[in-house]
Amino acid sequence: MTKNELILPSKDELLETLEKRFKKFPQRHQNLQWEEILSLIEDKPESINSLAYLETSGGEPDVTEINKQLVYVDFSKESLKGRRSLCYDKDARVNRKKFPPTSSVCEVCDQWQVELLTENDYHALQEIQAVDLKTSSWLFTPDNIRQLGGAIFGDRRYDTTFIYHNGADSYYASRGFRAKLILK
């Protein structure tokens, strides 16, 4: 989704939604107070548009600690319909011989100033809440894999988190991506 395709909520509407979700799922952020999170958001005013994107595109973002970072991350049960059918990055999209998608995961993340989850982030997220039970999500791919034309993605099946590989130029209706916004 491009910036022109989304109708973003106002800052007040967004913060109200995030606060309600924060209070509804305390197990995701034990020992944190909403006032602390609000202060971190307000210290980074550029984060409002990023959070608005995560919310508006259906990510159900909530704050949690992943790999010693305090982050907002997508907790939606499945990968998001509005973030599917994208190849991994611009190079893969541009060099695709037939039927290139309209954009790529990395381009969308850059546009909205969010980061793609790493493999470690994805495993940590799955420990907090099981996601991608029917879909899959592209993950940040190390350079050594990407230079060979590949990219990685993950899902959860049989109560186990799996990490796979595919050509970076591939895209599927059931594969999207999850993003994070680092607060600290």
Side-chain angles (χ1 to χ4, degrees), residues 85-111:
S85 297
L86 300 170
C87 60
Y88 181 74
D89 61 13
K90 182 177 182 178
D91 188 51
R93 179 179 60 79
V94 169
N95 292 313
R96 187 173 168 91
K97 295 186 183 351
K98 290 184 178 181
F99 311 111
T102 58
S103 191
S104 71
V105 170
C106 293
E107 289 173 287
V108 174
C109 285
D110 287 346
Q111 178 183 17

Side-chain angles (χ1 to χ4, degrees), residues 70-169:
L70 192 59
V71 298
Y72 263 95
V73 67
D74 293 315
F75 274 98
S76 60
K77 191 157 187 99
E78 302 298 340
S79 70
L80 311 151
K81 289 182 181 178
R83 296 193 215 165
R84 294 183 194 170
S85 297
L86 300 170
C87 60
Y88 181 74
D89 61 13
K90 182 177 182 178
D91 188 51
R93 179 179 60 79
V94 169
N95 292 313
R96 187 173 168 91
K97 295 186 183 351
K98 290 184 178 181
F99 311 111
T102 58
S103 191
S104 71
V105 170
C106 293
E107 289 173 287
V108 174
C109 285
D110 287 346
Q111 178 183 17
W112 291 101
Q113 299 176 324
V114 293
E115 294 182 30
L116 199 54
L117 298 186
T118 66
E119 183 176 348
N120 288 337
D121 294 337
Y122 193 71
H123 280 287
L125 174 62
Q126 293 283 9
E127 290 296 317
I128 299 166
Q129 176 180 308
V131 297
D132 287 330
L133 304 176
K134 297 176 184 174
T135 58
S136 62
S137 292
W138 284 114
L139 302 174
F140 176 80
T141 300
D143 287 341
N144 63 321
I145 296 172
R146 186 61 198 96
Q147 289 171 0
L148 295 171
I152 62 173
F153 65 95
D155 65 23
R156 187 170 180 95
R157 306 290 193 272
Y158 311 108
D159 203 26
T160 303
T161 301
F162 292 96
I163 305 299
Y164 308 92
H165 60 89
N166 213 174
D169 65 343

Side-chain angles (χ1 to χ4, degrees), residues 23-37:
K23 291 176 178 176
K24 184 176 180 180
F25 298 101
Q27 69 277 13
R28 295 176 180 167
H29 34 255
Q30 296 175 10
N31 304 318
L32 293 175
Q33 302 298 315
W34 172 248
E35 292 72 27
E36 175 187 1
I37 302 307

